[in-house]
PDB file of all heavy atoms in Angstrom:
ATOM      1  N   LYS A  55      -4.164 -11.205   5.188  1.00 86.00           N
ATOM      2  CA  LYS A  55      -2.762 -11.003   5.544  1.00 86.00           C
ATOM      3  C   LYS A  55      -2.153 -12.349   5.899  1.00 86.00           C
ATOM      4  O   LYS A  55      -2.863 -13.267   6.278  1.00 86.00           O
ATOM      5  CB  LYS A  55      -2.662 -10.078   6.758  1.00 86.00           C
ATOM      6  CG  LYS A  55      -3.180  -8.701   6.482  1.00 86.00           C
ATOM      7  CD  LYS A  55      -2.928  -7.782   7.652  1.00 86.00           C
ATOM      8  CE  LYS A  55      -3.371  -6.386   7.275  1.00 86.00           C
ATOM      9  NZ  LYS A  55      -2.973  -5.391   8.262  1.00 86.00           N
ATOM     10  N   LEU A  71      -6.851  -3.370  15.304  1.00 91.00           N
ATOM     11  CA  LEU A  71      -7.216  -3.329  13.879  1.00 91.00           C
ATOM     12  C   LEU A  71      -6.172  -3.932  12.940  1.00 91.00           C
ATOM     13  O   LEU A  71      -6.509  -4.618  11.993  1.00 91.00           O
ATOM     14  CB  LEU A  71      -7.403  -1.879  13.450  1.00 91.00           C
ATOM     15  CG  LEU A  71      -8.789  -1.295  13.455  1.00 91.00           C
ATOM     16  CD1 LEU A  71      -8.772   0.044  12.736  1.00 91.00           C
ATOM     17  CD2 LEU A  71      -9.766  -2.226  12.748  1.00 91.00           C
ATOM     18  N   LEU A  72      -4.899  -3.640  13.228  1.00 88.00           N
ATOM     19  CA  LEU A  72      -3.847  -4.050  12.300  1.00 88.00           C
ATOM     20  C   LEU A  72      -3.742  -5.561  12.184  1.00 88.00           C
ATOM     21  O   LEU A  72      -3.456  -6.107  11.124  1.00 88.00           O
ATOM     22  CB  LEU A  72      -2.515  -3.459  12.787  1.00 88.00           C
ATOM     23  CG  LEU A  72      -1.327  -3.496  11.843  1.00 88.00           C
ATOM     24  CD1 LEU A  72      -1.568  -2.616  10.641  1.00 88.00           C
ATOM     25  CD2 LEU A  72      -0.068  -3.027  12.580  1.00 88.00           C
ATOM     26  N   TRP A  79     -12.148  -8.201  13.088  1.00 91.00           N
ATOM     27  CA  TRP A  79     -11.629  -7.014  12.402  1.00 91.00           C
ATOM     28  C   TRP A  79     -12.779  -6.150  11.888  1.00 91.00           C
ATOM     29  O   TRP A  79     -12.800  -4.944  12.094  1.00 91.00           O
ATOM     30  CB  TRP A  79     -10.712  -7.429  11.237  1.00 91.00           C
ATOM     31  CG  TRP A  79     -10.434  -6.253  10.337  1.00 91.00           C
ATOM     32  CD1 TRP A  79      -9.559  -5.232  10.585  1.00 91.00           C
ATOM     33  CD2 TRP A  79     -11.086  -5.936   9.104  1.00 91.00           C
ATOM     34  NE1 TRP A  79      -9.620  -4.302   9.565  1.00 91.00           N
ATOM     35  CE2 TRP A  79     -10.560  -4.712   8.644  1.00 91.00           C
ATOM     36  CE3 TRP A  79     -12.068  -6.571   8.335  1.00 91.00           C
ATOM     37  CZ2 TRP A  79     -10.965  -4.115   7.451  1.00 91.00           C
ATOM     38  CZ3 TRP A  79     -12.478  -5.972   7.154  1.00 91.00           C
ATOM     39  CH2 TRP A  79     -11.927  -4.763   6.728  1.00 91.00           C
ATOM     40  N   ARG A  83     -13.434  -2.321  12.802  1.00 94.00           N
ATOM     41  CA  ARG A  83     -13.217  -1.326  11.749  1.00 94.00           C
ATOM     42  C   ARG A  83     -14.458  -0.434  11.608  1.00 94.00           C
ATOM     43  O   ARG A  83     -14.362   0.775  11.480  1.00 94.00           O
ATOM     44  CB  ARG A  83     -12.886  -2.040  10.439  1.00 94.00           C
ATOM     45  CG  ARG A  83     -12.665  -1.144   9.260  1.00 94.00           C
ATOM     46  CD  ARG A  83     -11.211  -0.705   9.147  1.00 94.00           C
ATOM     47  NE  ARG A  83     -11.065   0.391   8.227  1.00 94.00           N
ATOM     48  CZ  ARG A  83      -9.924   0.787   7.673  1.00 94.00           C
ATOM     49  NH1 ARG A  83      -8.798   0.185   7.987  1.00 94.00           N
ATOM     50  NH2 ARG A  83      -9.862   1.795   6.862  1.00 94.00           N
ATOM     51  N   ALA A 244       1.552   1.759  14.617  1.00 88.00           N
ATOM     52  CA  ALA A 244       1.321   1.977  13.180  1.00 88.00           C
ATOM     53  C   ALA A 244       1.539   3.426  12.776  1.00 88.00           C
ATOM     54  O   ALA A 244       1.854   3.706  11.623  1.00 88.00           O
ATOM     55  CB  ALA A 244      -0.099   1.542  12.811  1.00 88.00           C
ATOM     56  N   GLY A 245       1.382   4.363  13.731  1.00 90.00           N
ATOM     57  CA  GLY A 245       1.359   5.768  13.334  1.00 90.00           C
ATOM     58  C   GLY A 245       2.591   6.564  13.695  1.00 90.00           C
ATOM     59  O   GLY A 245       2.709   7.719  13.315  1.00 90.00           O
ATOM     60  N   THR A 248       6.118   5.414  10.962  1.00 92.00           N
ATOM     61  CA  THR A 248       5.709   5.641   9.563  1.00 92.00           C
ATOM     62  C   THR A 248       5.673   7.138   9.239  1.00 92.00           C
ATOM     63  O   THR A 248       6.264   7.574   8.258  1.00 92.00           O
ATOM     64  CB  THR A 248       4.295   5.065   9.339  1.00 92.00           C
ATOM     65  OG1 THR A 248       3.468   5.456  10.439  1.00 92.00           O
ATOM     66  CG2 THR A 248       4.301   3.555   9.228  1.00 92.00           C
ATOM     67  N   THR A 249       4.996   7.906  10.092  1.00 96.00           N
ATOM     68  CA  THR A 249       4.859   9.338   9.816  1.00 96.00           C
ATOM     69  C   THR A 249       6.222  10.033   9.911  1.00 96.00           C
ATOM     70  O   THR A 249       6.543  10.902   9.095  1.00 96.00           O
ATOM     71  CB  THR A 249       3.851   9.978  10.798  1.00 96.00           C
ATOM     72  OG1 THR A 249       2.711   9.110  10.902  1.00 96.00           O
ATOM     73  CG2 THR A 249       3.389  11.329  10.307  1.00 96.00           C
ATOM     74  N   ARG A 313       0.110 -10.551   0.994  1.00 92.00           N
ATOM     75  CA  ARG A 313      -1.153 -11.233   1.200  1.00 92.00           C
ATOM     76  C   ARG A 313      -0.977 -12.698   0.783  1.00 92.00           C
ATOM     77  O   ARG A 313      -0.026 -13.044   0.099  1.00 92.00           O
ATOM     78  CB  ARG A 313      -2.247 -10.599   0.327  1.00 92.00           C
ATOM     79  CG  ARG A 313      -2.569  -9.143   0.682  1.00 92.00           C
ATOM     80  CD  ARG A 313      -3.196  -9.046   2.064  1.00 92.00           C
ATOM     81  NE  ARG A 313      -3.716  -7.729   2.379  1.00 92.00           N
ATOM     82  CZ  ARG A 313      -3.089  -6.818   3.124  1.00 92.00           C
ATOM     83  NH1 ARG A 313      -1.875  -7.062   3.596  1.00 92.00           N
ATOM     84  NH2 ARG A 313      -3.666  -5.667   3.400  1.00 92.00           N
ATOM     85  N   PRO A 372       0.814   4.236  -0.531  1.00 97.00           N
ATOM     86  CA  PRO A 372       1.588   4.334   0.718  1.00 97.00           C
ATOM     87  C   PRO A 372       0.763   3.893   1.921  1.00 97.00           C
ATOM     88  O   PRO A 372       1.312   3.442   2.924  1.00 97.00           O
ATOM     89  CB  PRO A 372       1.931   5.826   0.808  1.00 97.00           C
ATOM     90  CG  PRO A 372       0.905   6.509  -0.012  1.00 97.00           C
ATOM     91  CD  PRO A 372       0.555   5.554  -1.119  1.00 97.00           C
ATOM     92  N   PHE A 373      -0.560   4.011   1.802  1.00 97.00           N
ATOM     93  CA  PHE A 373      -1.446   3.651   2.921  1.00 97.00           C
ATOM     94  C   PHE A 373      -2.252   2.402   2.605  1.00 97.00           C
ATOM     95  O   PHE A 373      -3.230   2.113   3.281  1.00 97.00           O
ATOM     96  CB  PHE A 373      -2.430   4.786   3.205  1.00 97.00           C
ATOM     97  CG  PHE A 373      -1.778   6.078   3.631  1.00 97.00           C
ATOM     98  CD1 PHE A 373      -1.660   7.150   2.760  1.00 97.00           C
ATOM     99  CD2 PHE A 373      -1.287   6.221   4.920  1.00 97.00           C
ATOM    100  CE1 PHE A 373      -1.072   8.346   3.164  1.00 97.00           C
ATOM    101  CE2 PHE A 373      -0.692   7.425   5.332  1.00 97.00           C
ATOM    102  CZ  PHE A 373      -0.589   8.474   4.447  1.00 97.00           C
ATOM    103  N   ASN A 374      -1.851   1.662   1.562  1.00 95.00           N
ATOM    104  CA  ASN A 374      -2.713   0.591   1.057  1.00 95.00           C
ATOM    105  C   ASN A 374      -4.019   1.244   0.577  1.00 95.00           C
ATOM    106  O   ASN A 374      -4.162   2.463   0.637  1.00 95.00           O
ATOM    107  CB  ASN A 374      -2.954  -0.472   2.133  1.00 95.00           C
ATOM    108  CG  ASN A 374      -3.570  -1.739   1.574  1.00 95.00           C
ATOM    109  OD1 ASN A 374      -3.915  -1.820   0.395  1.00 95.00           O
ATOM    110  ND2 ASN A 374      -3.694  -2.740   2.420  1.00 95.00           N
ATOM    111  N   ARG A 378      -8.898  -2.535   3.836  1.00 93.00           N
ATOM    112  CA  ARG A 378      -7.857  -2.584   4.886  1.00 93.00           C
ATOM    113  C   ARG A 378      -6.866  -1.438   4.753  1.00 93.00           C
ATOM    114  O   ARG A 378      -5.750  -1.491   5.290  1.00 93.00           O
ATOM    115  CB  ARG A 378      -7.133  -3.925   4.844  1.00 93.00           C
ATOM    116  CG  ARG A 378      -7.998  -5.019   5.438  1.00 93.00           C
ATOM    117  CD  ARG A 378      -7.222  -6.034   6.219  1.00 93.00           C
ATOM    118  NE  ARG A 378      -6.956  -5.641   7.580  1.00 93.00           N
ATOM    119  CZ  ARG A 378      -7.012  -6.470   8.612  1.00 93.00           C
ATOM    120  NH1 ARG A 378      -7.340  -7.716   8.445  1.00 93.00           N
ATOM    121  NH2 ARG A 378      -6.703  -6.056   9.827  1.00 93.00           N
ATOM    122  N   CYS A 380      -5.027   2.042   5.498  1.00 95.00           N
ATOM    123  CA  CYS A 380      -4.658   2.659   6.772  1.00 95.00           C
ATOM    124  C   CYS A 380      -5.826   3.479   7.311  1.00 95.00           C
ATOM    125  O   CYS A 380      -6.322   4.374   6.634  1.00 95.00           O
ATOM    126  CB  CYS A 380      -3.460   3.557   6.536  1.00 95.00           C
ATOM    127  SG  CYS A 380      -2.967   4.469   7.992  1.00 95.00           S
ATOM    128  N   VAL A 381      -6.207   3.192   8.545  1.00 96.00           N
ATOM    129  CA  VAL A 381      -7.313   3.945   9.128  1.00 96.00           C
ATOM    130  C   VAL A 381      -6.833   5.350   9.527  1.00 96.00           C
ATOM    131  O   VAL A 381      -7.614   6.290   9.612  1.00 96.00           O
ATOM    132  CB  VAL A 381      -7.921   3.154  10.302  1.00 96.00           C
ATOM    133  CG1 VAL A 381      -7.156   3.397  11.592  1.00 96.00           C
ATOM    134  CG2 VAL A 381      -9.374   3.452  10.492  1.00 96.00           C
ATOM    135  N   PHE A 385      -5.320  11.356   9.309  1.00 96.00           N
ATOM    136  CA  PHE A 385      -4.566  11.829  10.474  1.00 96.00           C
ATOM    137  C   PHE A 385      -3.129  12.107  10.028  1.00 96.00           C
ATOM    138  O   PHE A 385      -2.569  13.192  10.267  1.00 96.00           O
ATOM    139  CB  PHE A 385      -4.616  10.735  11.547  1.00 96.00           C
ATOM    140  CG  PHE A 385      -3.956  11.051  12.854  1.00 96.00           C
ATOM    141  CD1 PHE A 385      -4.712  11.258  14.007  1.00 96.00           C
ATOM    142  CD2 PHE A 385      -2.576  11.110  12.963  1.00 96.00           C
ATOM    143  CE1 PHE A 385      -4.100  11.530  15.233  1.00 96.00           C
ATOM    144  CE2 PHE A 385      -1.956  11.376  14.176  1.00 96.00           C
ATOM    145  CZ  PHE A 385      -2.722  11.579  15.313  1.00 96.00           C
TER     146      PHE A 385
HETATM  147  C1  LIG B 501       2.639   8.307   6.965  1.00 84.64           C
HETATM  148  C2  LIG B 501       2.110   7.560   7.919  1.00 84.64           C
HETATM  149  C3  LIG B 501       1.484   6.211   7.734  1.00 84.64           C
HETATM  150  C4  LIG B 501       1.698   5.266   6.756  1.00 84.64           C
HETATM  151  C5  LIG B 501       2.621   5.353   5.564  1.00 84.64           C
HETATM  152  C6  LIG B 501       0.819   4.144   7.062  1.00 84.64           C
HETATM  153  C7  LIG B 501       0.737   2.999   6.274  1.00 84.64           C
HETATM  154  C8  LIG B 501      -0.147   1.954   6.509  1.00 84.64           C
HETATM  155  C9  LIG B 501      -0.305   0.800   5.653  1.00 84.64           C
HETATM  156  C10 LIG B 501       0.495   0.533   4.374  1.00 84.64           C
HETATM  157  C11 LIG B 501      -1.258   0.010   6.206  1.00 84.64           C
HETATM  158  C12 LIG B 501      -1.778  -1.326   5.636  1.00 84.64           C
HETATM  159  C13 LIG B 501      -0.900  -2.491   5.986  1.00 84.64           C
HETATM  160  C14 LIG B 501      -1.405  -3.764   5.351  1.00 84.64           C
HETATM  161  O1  LIG B 501      -2.507  -3.761   4.802  1.00 84.64           O
HETATM  162  O2  LIG B 501      -0.703  -4.778   5.402  1.00 84.64           O
HETATM  163  C15 LIG B 501      -1.704   0.654   7.421  1.00 84.64           C
HETATM  164  C16 LIG B 501      -2.668   0.152   8.279  1.00 84.64           C
HETATM  165  C17 LIG B 501      -3.034   0.750   9.466  1.00 84.64           C
HETATM  166  N1  LIG B 501      -2.578   1.970   9.951  1.00 84.64           N
HETATM  167 FE1  LIG B 501      -1.337   3.246   9.033  1.00 84.64          FE
HETATM  168  N2  LIG B 501       0.129   4.407   8.206  1.00 84.64           N
HETATM  169  C18 LIG B 501       0.486   5.661   8.652  1.00 84.64           C
HETATM  170  C19 LIG B 501      -0.005   6.340   9.764  1.00 84.64           C
HETATM  171  C20 LIG B 501      -0.923   5.825  10.636  1.00 84.64           C
HETATM  172  C21 LIG B 501      -1.466   6.521  11.793  1.00 84.64           C
HETATM  173  C22 LIG B 501      -1.098   7.958  12.184  1.00 84.64           C
HETATM  174  C23 LIG B 501      -2.296   5.660  12.433  1.00 84.64           C
HETATM  175  C24 LIG B 501      -3.142   5.856  13.686  1.00 84.64           C
HETATM  176  C25 LIG B 501      -3.284   6.944  14.333  1.00 84.64           C
HETATM  177  C26 LIG B 501      -2.319   4.415  11.667  1.00 84.64           C
HETATM  178  C27 LIG B 501      -3.045   3.294  11.987  1.00 84.64           C
HETATM  179  C28 LIG B 501      -3.185   2.178  11.167  1.00 84.64           C
HETATM  180  C29 LIG B 501      -4.048   1.045  11.497  1.00 84.64           C
HETATM  181  C30 LIG B 501      -4.885   0.879  12.747  1.00 84.64           C
HETATM  182  C31 LIG B 501      -3.952   0.146  10.425  1.00 84.64           C
HETATM  183  C32 LIG B 501      -4.701  -1.169  10.258  1.00 84.64           C
HETATM  184  C33 LIG B 501      -5.995  -0.922   9.509  1.00 84.64           C
HETATM  185  C34 LIG B 501      -6.823  -2.185   9.235  1.00 84.64           C
HETATM  186  O3  LIG B 501      -6.236  -3.214   8.908  1.00 84.64           O
HETATM  187  O4  LIG B 501      -8.052  -2.084   9.325  1.00 84.64           O
HETATM  188  N3  LIG B 501      -1.473   4.556  10.585  1.00 84.64           N
HETATM  189  N4  LIG B 501      -1.018   1.853   7.572  1.00 84.64           N
END
Side-chain angles (χ1 to χ4, degrees):
K55 296 186 176 189
L71 265 191
L72 193 66
W79 167 77
R83 179 88 194 197
T248 45
T249 316
R313 296 294 189 261
F373 298 104
N374 193 355
R378 285 217 84 140
C380 176
V381 84
F385 183 110

